[in-house]
Structures are given as C-alpha cells and as structure tokens.
Amino acid sequence: MHDSTPLLTWDIFCKIVDNHGDLGVCWRLSAQLAAQGQRVRLWVDDAGALPWMAPGALEGHWPGVQVMPWRQPMSALDLEGLPLADVWIEAFGCEVPAEFLARFMPAVESTGQAPVWINLEYLSAESYVERMHRLPSPVLQGPAAGQTKWFFYPGFTPRTGGLLREPDLEARQAAFDRTAWLAAHQIAWHGERLVSLFCYEPKALGGWLNQLAQGPEPTRMLVTPGRAAAAVQAALSGQQAQREPPQWGSLSFSYLPYLPHGAYDELLWACDLNFVRGEDSVVRALWAGKPFVWHIYPQDDDAHHAKLDAFLNWLDAPGSLRHFHHTWNAISPEPLPVPDLPVWHACVQAARERLRLQDGLASQLMQFVAEKR
C-alpha cells in the first residue's frame, strides 16, 4: 500500500442466491482490499461455504476482513457500536438493508459526509456495460432518499471496472509445480491429459464423457464436488466407471474435495483443459491461461445466450471453441467438436495479455472511491 492511500472502512453486502460464485467474488474482493490496507466488513446471509473457501475467515484470521452476519431483519444488536463506513457496496443486485440505513443515515445527515455507495454489478462483455459503468443512480425513496448510488461494472475492456486479480498471481503461477501438486492431492497421474470439471448439469455431458472414453488419448477428469460430481454420476449411471478404480475406456476419474481459492487456482494451472461455470471461476480460468469452456449461468428467458456470444466475441474465439460453447450451453443441438487445444490455448493466452494491461477490479474501485470522496 502506498503511503498516500487512505485507510477506509468498506461495508460489502453479499446475498447468496443458489451457488458459491456470489460469495466467491465478494470474498476475493474483500481479501484484496484488505491486502491493500483497507478494513472490510463483509455482510453475508449464508457464510456456509467460507470454511473451505477461505479457511479461518469466520474466526477472524484474515487481517482486515470481518465477516458479519446478515440477518433478516437486522437487529440493533447486529449494528451496535459499529462506526459509519466510508464505502457501501451492494453486490449483484442486493440492497443495503433498511435497518442498516435507518441506523446510519442520521450520522450521514449530521456530518454531511455520506459513504461512497456502489452498486457492483454482474460480469458481462455486452456493450451496455461500457455505457452504464460509473453512472449515478439517485435514491428516490426510503431512509436514504436524496443520496446517490454509482453503478460499477466489472468487465473485460479498458472502459469497464476490470477483473479481480491478486498482485502476486503471476509469480505464484510461475512457481507452480504440477507434479508435486497432484501428488500432494493424492491424484494418480501417469502423464495423461488432465481435465478439470466445474459445471452445472449440461445436457452434453454424457456425450462428452463418451467421446473421451472412446478416444485414443488417455484422459483423467478431475471432478469438483457438488453439482458437477452429481452430474457425472448421473451421466455414468450403469457405466463401467462406477467401479473402483473409476475407469471407462480411455477416461479415468478423480473426485476432488472442496478446495480453498488458492488451491482452485492451482487446479486450473495443473490441467490441460478446464471446464468452469458462473462468474468467479471463468475469471480464474482466464488468468490461468489454459484452454477452457464456460458453462454460463442459465437464465429462464435465455438472456445468457447473448451474454455468452458477447464474451466469445471479446475472446475472439475460434470456430471450434465457439461451437463447443454453444453445444455445452445447450444453445446448439450439434455434437461436440473435438477440442483443438493448441488453437484454444493461443486464444486464451492472447486474451490474458490484453487483460494484463488493465488495472484490476479492486484497484479500480479504490481509485473510484478516492475520486468520489
């Protein structure tokens, strides 16, 4: 942290929807702000994933980050003795609770110094992101009527808020030893192709596993726990892979436990091809620089189709990678193509180089707050 960087207190509000991504992004942001000397209170309504995602977080072992229970409704006891923060962040469409505003707005009105209030939006490569980034949003009703929120959009281009990136990420990856990491995680590896699987329930999964099993190249699938593992077991129902050791033709399986954030990065570095899902892991896949396929979060109105295509356009995805994404995300009924890993790798490497030229999300948020204060 530079001497000129003010030490501020940040309230970050995170409401869990149905997966780990919201908490993953909010935790990474909290940890990165704290690493730059900021004080963060992370308000979360379900912190059940933090013990494996960030061991020690609930016990207060991460300097600068305090995990706060977001009970609904908030009680006076939850807020007793807390000073007014310098920044309020509403992550992913959640709202600062009315009880919280009622507690702190008198102090805002008496001092005339309001926190910088940020609406941190979802990640997208669509064109509206650049138009909406940093725009004001007046608060028209409730205890905070008359205040202003600011839209802040993460993104992939210089006219957006950037992506979360730790300052030591490249150094960590450069020092990574794949063989030692696999051995430490008791993954039997004999030089075969390694593929990580973190997904929802793609309809194309069974066909993909069959393609690997019948293919000429030995492949080991490293399956993450939860929905991905359940999807694999459902796809393999009745197959030979249900036996021990798990093996089906050219395809073998290793089922992983939940991994802390740092170890998940290392999983991506260890693999030759990564399947990721949602927002947090696709960013980590980009920084890993390995070929990857993104299972975008599905929406009932199919709005994710345009969102995926905008991302593939930004990525400058070659035809085979675009085709694979469309089938994997149930946009196209065509069979999955055979991955062209050298071409996919070159594509991701070029995208990562573009991203390296931009400031990260945490740094941009700090710069924005400094401007508004």
Side-chain angles (χ1 to χ4, degrees):
M1 182 180 69
H2 299 294
D3 292 339
S4 59
T5 303
L7 194 161
L8 305 179
T9 298
W10 302 59
D11 280 317
I12 299 179
F13 292 87
C14 176
K15 183 172 290 187
I16 309 303
V17 181
D18 61 356
N19 288 295
H20 306 309
D22 293 347
L23 182 58
V25 171
C26 290
W27 174 259
R28 288 188 195 275
L29 174 59
S30 298
Q32 288 183 32
L33 289 171
Q36 297 188 62
Q38 306 299 290
R39 293 175 299 218
V40 180
R41 299 188 298 229
L42 175 59
W43 298 86
V44 58
D45 64 343
D46 180 1
L50 273 181
W52 58 262
M53 188 180 288
L58 294 179
E59 295 78 18
H61 297 164
W62 287 73
V65 182
Q66 184 178 8
V67 181
M68 309 291 290
W70 183 356
R71 285 181 270 263
Q72 300 180 42
M74 280 186 169
S75 69
L77 190 61
D78 293 329
L79 303 171
E80 185 177 4
L82 294 180
L84 177 66
D86 303 290
V87 187
W88 291 340
I89 293 183
E90 300 172 330
F92 310 125
C94 73
E95 295 185 349
V96 174
E99 301 88 3
F100 187 93
L101 293 175
R103 160 71 171 78
F104 286 109
M105 285 311 300
V108 170
E109 293 166 358
S110 65
T111 62
Q113 296 181 342
V116 181
W117 194 346
I118 295 171
N119 185 346
L120 182 63
E121 286 287 350
Y122 286 100
L123 176 65
S124 178
E126 294 168 284
S127 59
Y128 73 83
V129 169
E130 291 187 344
R131 295 196 306 270
M132 299 289 291
H133 182 51
R134 287 174 163 247
L135 290 184
S137 175
V139 180
L140 302 178
Q141 58 187 4
Q147 299 297 317
T148 299
K149 301 181 189 181
W150 299 90
F151 287 112
F152 208 91
Y153 281 84
F156 305 96
T157 65
R159 293 177 58 192
T160 69
L163 303 177
L164 287 170
R165 180 178 80 234
E166 299 83 4
D168 65 343
L169 185 61
E170 291 185 23
R172 286 174 47 220
Q173 186 172 5
F176 177 68
D177 184 329
R178 170 157 84 163
T179 301
W181 188 87
L182 292 167
H185 287 79
Q186 300 180 328
I187 296 170
W189 183 50
H190 305 287
E192 67 270 34
R193 176 174 55 187
L194 295 176
V195 177
S196 75
L197 184 68
F198 183 46
C199 62
Y200 301 113
E201 295 83 19
K203 294 179 181 179
L205 178 60
W208 169 234
L209 297 180
N210 183 68
Q211 183 184 123
L212 293 175
Q214 304 304 320
E217 182 175 0
T219 299
R220 176 167 292 275
M221 182 81 69
L222 307 184
V223 185
T224 59
R227 294 176 68 171
V232 167
Q233 292 297 324
L236 295 177
S237 178
Q239 297 290 350
Q240 187 179 4
Q242 294 300 295
R243 298 192 225 155
E244 291 293 339
Q247 182 77 34
W248 178 23
S250 298
L251 180 60
S252 54
F253 298 85
S254 293
Y255 292 92
L256 304 176
Y258 285 105
L259 297 174
H261 273 168
Y264 181 70
D265 284 333
E266 292 162 348
L267 169 66
L268 299 178
W269 303 341
C271 289
D272 304 294
L273 173 62
N274 294 303
F275 286 77
V276 295
R277 78 181 200 206
E279 179 172 327
D280 182 54
S281 62
V282 74
V283 173
R284 308 317 294 184
L286 279 165
W287 292 131
K290 298 293 190 74
F292 70 88
V293 175
W294 184 24
H295 198 178
I296 195 168
Y297 187 80
Q299 296 173 269
D300 292 336
D301 59 359
D302 290 340
H304 60 292
H305 293 188
K307 184 174 180 178
L308 178 62
D309 278 335
F311 173 75
L312 294 173
N313 290 339
W314 168 82
L315 190 64
D316 198 16
S320 61
L321 184 57
R322 186 180 295 266
H323 178 177
F324 204 109
H325 272 88
H326 281 183
T327 300
W328 191 249
N329 286 276
I331 297 173
S332 168
E334 297 180 14
L336 291 169
V338 175
D340 189 342
L341 294 188
V343 171
W344 294 10
H345 183 262
C347 168
V348 177
Q349 286 284 313
R352 184 172 69 168
E353 286 305 303
R354 297 197 300 271
L355 292 170
R356 287 179 68 248
L357 302 177
Q358 304 170 27
D359 287 338
L361 177 60
S363 296
Q364 291 207 44
L365 279 167
M366 291 177 64
Q367 294 165 10
F368 180 79
V369 168
E371 292 171 14
K372 297 307 174 187
R373 283 172 53 84

